Amino acid sequence: MLAFMIGFGVDIGGSGIKGAPVDLVTGEFTADRVRIKTPQPSTPRAVIKTVAQVVAAFYPDKPPPSLGITMPSVIHGGVARSAANIHSSWLNYPVADAFAQALGYEVSVLNDADAAGIAELHYGAAKGQPGLVIMTTLGTGIGSAMIYDGVLIPNAELGHMEIGGRHAEKRAAARVKTQKRLSWATYARRLQRFYSTLEFLFSPDLFVVGGGISKDAAKFLPRLRLETIIVPAQLRNQAGIVGAAWYASSRTTSDKS
Ligand code: BGC
């Protein structure tokens, strides 16, 4: 059960901070999203100020019903416990408390890939999927979400799994394909190693592949040889916002019970 049928999500990324109100029945935005460039350096203070601007674009003088915020970090007990692709000053930063203090109300903070996984589970490629879903986002890094029978196991950092002595994301993130100008065949070989390892370790029921590159899924997914069904994400770049909005609303309900 969700507390509200409209939620608000904010997605903090390396280049943009995006937010929109979300209809939690359909998973669609109820208004065009607002995007403001991520301030540089992306220190907590500067980012928090920008998030406040994004929210104020829709809620100038009252708080949203609930607010969910994604970060590209491990978020444990409201505190950032990693800072792989963001400013290092986020490490060990009390993110949830700092947002609550700046905004004047409680917020829910979660990992960006966890939010994307939640969105796909409720509204997209993993809708109604029982068992273990592993969502992976291929972007600047590799994000991951593990969801078992609809319940998120938060903060799985599968992109940092060491394969052949290197973090998987250093070889197989979408950024690496672009930077090294890898062909689809070469990139698919790197992905094959990553997904085969995940398959061996976790025996999932479904892989969902998100991140901007998933729009080209037809160029690399058919090259992969896996036992597990692997499908592109459906929510594309809306997934973070939608998942954050759903998560915040679900927490508001359980906090009250
Ligand atoms: C981070 C994850 C994040 C992913 C995608 C990784 O480098 O460790 O927490 O989900 O990038 O942004």
Side-chain angles (χ1 to χ4, degrees):
M1 265 295 286
L2 296 174
F4 305 102
M5 285 305 125
I6 300 288
F8 196 90
V10 174
D11 192 9
I12 300 175
S15 54
I17 297 180
K18 299 139 279 184
V22 179
D23 178 332
L24 296 171
V25 177
T26 61
E28 280 161 15
F29 293 173
T30 63
D32 286 347
R33 70 169 197 178
V34 162
R35 178 184 191 276
I36 301 180
K37 266 191 177 173
T38 306
Q40 295 303 334
S42 54
T43 56
R45 219 185 139 123
V47 167
I48 289 171
K49 208 169 141 196
T50 308
V51 170
Q53 285 168 358
V54 170
V55 179
F58 298 91
Y59 291 93
D61 36 43
K62 61 173 177 138
S66 60
L67 174 58
I69 300 172
T70 77
M71 294 269 315
S73 308
V74 169
I75 302 290
H76 194 243
V79 177
R81 293 297 185 194
S82 71
N85 291 312
I86 48 160
H87 198 267
S88 57
S89 55
W90 284 97
L91 192 59
N92 295 325
Y93 194 81
V95 185
D97 283 352
F99 273 112
Q101 210 172 16
L103 295 167
Y105 49 87
E106 293 300 310
V107 307
S108 299
V109 185
L110 77 165
N111 171 265
D112 55 0
D114 280 349
I118 287 174
E120 293 296 332
L121 182 82
H122 291 285
Y123 310 105
K127 198 167 173 184
Q129 173 69 50
L132 181 62
V133 175
I134 298 186
M135 163 93 193
T136 51
T137 60
L138 307 175
T140 309
I142 296 183
S144 58
M146 291 180 80
I147 297 167
Y148 187 77
D149 276 354
V151 177
L152 174 75
I153 305 157
N155 293 314
E157 285 285 337
L158 305 179
H160 291 277
M161 197 167 54
E162 266 187 45
I163 303 180
R166 297 188 66 191
H167 285 200
E169 74 172 22
K170 297 269 183 261
R171 284 185 55 77
R175 171 168 62 175
V176 180
K177 178 180 184 308
T178 312
Q179 276 176 348
K180 302 214 158 147
R181 298 179 184 199
L182 302 179
S183 66
W184 287 109
T186 306
Y187 185 56
R189 274 200 295 280
R190 293 182 174 207
L191 290 176
Q192 177 73 55
R193 195 155 180 210
F194 175 57
Y195 288 111
S196 293
T197 307
L198 293 184
E199 182 168 70
F200 174 69
L201 291 175
F202 298 109
S203 301
D205 295 284
L206 179 70
F207 283 123
V208 181
V209 183
I213 202 167
S214 64
K215 68 176 186 320
D216 288 320
K219 296 186 179 140
F220 62 95
L221 288 191
R223 297 175 194 261
L224 302 180
R225 295 287 163 260
L226 297 160
E227 295 291 322
T228 314
I229 296 172
I230 184 161
V231 296
Q234 285 175 9
L235 279 94
R236 299 278 158 81
N237 60 2
Q238 304 199 343
I241 294 175
V242 171
W246 190 95
Y247 179 75
S249 185
S250 73
R251 303 243 313 168
T252 309
T253 314
S254 55
D255 289 352
K256 281 184 179 156
S257 60

